[in-house]
């Protein structure tokens, strides 16, 4: 079910765009997609809900991982809607003058490995700098030929991510989870709060 969003631009300023479907290569690192856009340069985006905003060089992602609700610093209950797909939702982009694309991550990827016997409900990611926003609906804008990730509404963006793990750990096999975070300088570092059936643990 993978799709790409393709924006083609020409030297005369004309542009065209389309969403293209995967026709070969499912489950591998190389895929073939069906498309008809012809242009001098292409921008390709991978991520659910891509759509062109008329008159603007933006590609809107359906959600940037999470939709914020109210945040409870004690229980985290109902803090956020579920992650769209925490293990695999990595927004990516590519640019090319041909129809062959080499994709790169739009976000930084935080890998967390866990083992033990606990049931882990969720993991909270929070920058120590509370002015930094890390969750909310976002879009990709091409500026000077390079993509930038920006929140649609800074006032609704929030400074915590909630990754729902909801698994029992294994004592001998490490289970990994991956969290996509906006590419920015995290001055002062960040904190992880791991909430299990036995309590909470904080890691700075």
């Amino acid at each position: 079910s993978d799709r790409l969003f393709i924006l083609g631009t020409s030297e005369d300023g004309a542009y065209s765009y389309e969403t293209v479907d995967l026709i070969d290569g499912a489950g591998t690192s190389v895929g073939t997609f069906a498309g008809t856009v012809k242009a001098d340069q292409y921008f390709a985006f991978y991520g659910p809900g891509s759509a062109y905003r008329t008159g603007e060089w933006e590609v809107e992602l359906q959600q940037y991982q999470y939709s914020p609700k109210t945040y409870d610093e004690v229980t985290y209950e109902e803090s956020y809607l579920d992650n769209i797909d925490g293990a695999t939702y990595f927004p990516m982009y590519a640019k090319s003058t041909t129809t062959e694309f080499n994709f790169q991550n739009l976000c930084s990827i935080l890998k967390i490995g866990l083992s033990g016997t606990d049931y882990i409900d969720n993991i909270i990611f929070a920058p120590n700098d509370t002015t930094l926003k890390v969750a909310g609906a976002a879009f990709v804008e091409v500026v000077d030929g390079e993509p930038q990730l920006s929140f649609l509404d800074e006032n609704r963006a929030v400074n915590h991510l909630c990754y729902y793990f909801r698994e029992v750990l294994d004592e001998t096999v490490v289970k990994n989870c991956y969290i996509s975070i906006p590419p920015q300088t995290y001055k002062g570092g960040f904190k992880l709060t791991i909430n299990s059936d036995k309590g909470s643990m904080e890691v700075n």
Side-chain angles (χ1 to χ4, degrees):
S1 62
D2 278 1
R3 290 184 172 183
L4 298 180
F5 178 82
I6 308 293
L7 175 63
T9 63
S10 300
E11 293 179 356
D12 61 3
Y15 62 87
S16 55
Y17 57 92
E18 67 179 336
T19 302
V20 300
D21 295 318
L22 180 71
I23 58 175
D24 186 42
T28 72
S29 61
V30 178
T32 303
F33 292 80
T36 60
V37 166
K38 301 294 182 183
D40 295 320
Q41 187 173 34
Y42 301 93
F43 294 95
F45 297 88
Y46 175 78
S50 296
Y52 187 69
R53 305 180 108 202
T54 304
E56 298 177 349
W57 286 57
E58 299 175 359
V59 175
E60 182 180 346
L61 302 179
Q62 184 178 20
Q63 287 293 336
Y64 175 61
Q65 249 198 326
Y66 303 92
S67 293
K69 283 188 175 181
T70 56
Y71 178 71
D72 188 321
E73 293 186 358
V74 178
T75 66
Y76 304 109
E77 184 177 358
E78 297 299 331
S79 296
Y80 302 95
L81 298 178
D82 280 1
N83 189 344
I84 288 178
D85 190 347
T88 59
Y89 183 59
F90 302 147
M92 304 178 78
Y93 82 99
K95 63 177 182 178
S96 178
T97 55
T98 72
T99 54
E100 293 186 2
F101 303 113
N102 182 22
F103 283 86
Q104 302 178 57
N105 286 325
L106 273 167
C107 302
S108 300
I109 309 300
L110 181 64
K111 177 182 177 180
I112 304 168
L114 300 171
S115 62
T117 59
D118 294 3
Y119 169 84
I120 304 298
D121 182 67
N122 60 67
I123 300 170
I124 305 295
F125 171 89
N128 289 328
D129 181 350
T130 58
T131 65
L132 295 177
K133 304 297 180 65
V134 295
F139 65 91
V140 178
E141 183 179 14
V142 180
V143 179
D144 296 328
E146 297 297 330
Q148 294 183 4
L149 186 68
S150 303
F151 290 111
L152 285 171
D153 185 349
E154 280 284 345
N155 294 325
R156 298 188 63 187
V158 292
N159 62 352
H160 292 76
L161 291 177
C162 182
Y163 179 98
Y164 286 101
F165 194 81
R166 290 173 177 162
E167 289 187 38
V168 177
L169 298 178
D170 189 292
E171 288 187 275
T172 58
V173 179
V174 174
K175 291 189 175 182
N176 295 317
C177 63
Y178 302 87
I179 301 177
S180 296
I181 56 178
Q184 58 189 339
T185 301
Y186 290 87
K187 294 180 179 179
F190 57 85
K191 176 177 67 177
L192 295 175
T193 304
I194 302 172
N195 296 299
S196 75
D197 57 344
K198 298 178 182 177
S200 298
M201 178 179 69
E202 290 188 355
V203 179
N204 281 291

